[in-house]
Structure formats: C-alpha cells, structure tokens
Amino acid sequence: MIIEFEEQLLELIDARISTASDDELFAGGYLRGHISLSAAACEEEGIEDIEALKERIQASLEAARSELTPADRTIVHDLWLELVNAA
C-alpha cells in the first residue's frame, strides 16, 4: 500500500516534467527525496497506513525548513498539496 502510494506520487511528479517551470522542477526533485525516504522508513517499520506516510513526509518537510528560502518553501508546499489532492 505504501509503495503503491509512493509510486503514484512520483508518477504525478514525473508527469509534470515536460511542462514544469524551473521552480516546479526543483520542488519535484526536492519532494522526491522526502517522499522516498519517508516511504522507505514506513516500510522498514512495517507501517502500511497512507495517512501515516503523509504525516511522515510532512514532518520531514518541516524538519528541513531551514534548507529552503521562504519562497522555495512555498513552492514545495504548494506542490505537495497538489500531489496529495491528486493522489
């Protein structure tokens, strides 16, 4: 279940590549890392709940806030919301 959701999110990111702006490409690449690491951690811990994965990704993004400028945080956050709503 977790792996399928991860794949769905990554496919949504990949589907945007041909039309994405530079900012969207950056946000997609940045989110890929957080999504994959969070999914791997859930799988390792035997967590199958999609909501737990979403919470873990959100927590990962929050923990890394200082890595991004406020503008980049907004771009990443907006893309994350789009992905969650589309998935």
Side-chain angles (χ1 to χ4, degrees):
M1 191 100 170
I2 293 289
I3 297 304
E4 291 84 4
F5 188 70
E6 174 194 15
E7 289 173 356
Q8 186 178 14
L9 291 173
L10 298 180
E11 286 172 9
L12 288 168
I13 292 171
D14 290 346
R16 302 170 59 102
I17 289 175
S18 62
T19 60
S21 68
D22 288 344
D23 287 340
E24 291 168 331
L25 289 172
F26 162 75
Y30 188 80
L31 281 170
R32 287 181 79 83
H34 287 276
I35 291 166
S36 294
L37 288 173
S38 297
C42 284
E43 188 173 28
E44 185 177 295
E45 295 173 22
I47 296 170
E48 290 291 327
D49 182 39
I50 299 298
E51 290 305 313
L53 173 59
K54 290 179 188 177
E55 289 171 11
R56 192 171 287 230
I57 295 167
Q58 188 63 45
S60 178
L61 292 170
E62 286 298 318
R65 281 180 60 89
S66 64
E67 294 178 350
L68 302 174
T69 65
D72 285 344
R73 278 197 304 268
T74 299
I75 294 164
V76 169
H77 180 265
D78 290 349
L79 180 56
W80 170 239
L81 290 180
E82 281 183 43
L83 293 174
V84 169
N85 289 330

